[in-house]
Amino acid sequence: MRKFVLKSMIAVTLLTGVTETITYINNPTIEAKTLSKKKVKKVNKALKKALKEDQGFATGKLDENGNPTDNGTPNSKYDYATYVNSLTYQSSGAVKVQMNDKLTSLNTAQMDEIAHNVQGLVDSTLMIEEVITPEDTTKGVYLNFYYGKRAIGHSKLSDHKEFKWYTN
């Protein structure tokens, strides 16, 4: 694909005499990042670990250093994680967020708050795993939300940190 773009840009430059277009060859606007199956597996393992850790903080099963404890204090800052069953990085670059039945008592404002926290967890984990750059976190990763097999919402295309919920 990159060779085709390069050849096309050179052809356009030769035909039109416009040399400005050459600057686009070095800075492509959008390039999909394809990860190997091994890398996707590693990323999903990291997402699972990060979610489990936040769930541990939320329930008081982990202390502030991430060590298991029997008599810890639940940290409400991480309560959002108790609404999520799993996070799965998909080959499209989106992350599937599998919610649990606790979400049935939430309104859209509360769902947005949970989604923003999930977005933060996903962004930081994917950045640590070198799937995205710090600059990519300003837009966020596209999230798809499910309850069982039913899609219940997703990130908006124009801004991945805004969400659309499917309400009845």
Side-chain angles (χ1 to χ4, degrees):
M1 177 72 179
R2 195 174 185 108
K3 284 183 182 180
F4 175 73
V5 172
L6 177 61
K7 287 178 183 176
S8 297
M9 296 306 282
I10 290 172
V12 168
T13 302
L14 292 174
L15 292 172
T16 63
V18 178
T19 57
E20 229 174 87
T21 56
I22 295 214
T23 58
Y24 294 106
I25 296 168
N26 294 329
N27 299 317
T29 54
I30 298 174
E31 261 188 40
K33 194 167 196 173
T34 305
L35 301 181
S36 68
K37 287 183 181 181
K38 184 177 179 180
K39 180 70 172 181
V40 169
K41 188 175 181 178
K42 182 181 179 204
V43 168
N44 282 324
K45 187 175 179 180
L47 285 169
K48 182 178 181 178
K49 181 181 178 186
L51 176 62
K52 187 174 181 177
E53 183 177 69
D54 281 7
Q55 289 169 336
F57 291 139
T59 59
K61 293 182 180 177
L62 295 177
D63 66 16
E64 64 276 356
N65 298 316
N67 299 315
T69 182
D70 292 330
N71 57 353
T73 304
N75 187 336
S76 61
K77 178 181 171 188
Y78 296 95
D79 190 49
Y80 79 92
T82 64
Y83 291 86
V84 180
N85 277 346
S86 65
L87 300 170
T88 308
Y89 183 82
Q90 300 173 311
S91 60
S92 64
V95 171
K96 180 179 179 181
V97 182
Q98 188 66 49
M99 307 292 285
N100 61 37
D101 57 0
K102 282 182 67 175
L103 78 95
T104 57
S105 64
L106 301 175
N107 61 38
T108 42
Q110 292 167 319
M111 293 284 288
D112 281 345
E113 185 179 339
I114 289 168
H116 284 288
N117 285 307
V118 169
Q119 182 74 254
L121 175 71
V122 167
D123 285 351
S124 62
T125 303
L126 295 184
M127 195 171 63
I128 290 167
E129 293 299 318
E130 298 178 348
V131 174
I132 62 173
T133 65
E135 293 79 26
D136 294 332
T137 62
T138 58
K139 185 175 181 186
V141 173
Y142 190 84
L143 303 176
N144 289 305
F145 294 88
Y146 285 83
Y147 175 56
K149 292 184 179 184
R150 194 176 110 219
I152 59 169
H154 61 82
S155 297
K156 291 185 177 178
L157 289 174
S158 58
D159 182 356
H160 296 171
K161 293 190 176 193
E162 296 288 322
F163 306 98
K164 167 70 177 157
W165 302 107
Y166 315 135
T167 55
N168 294 334

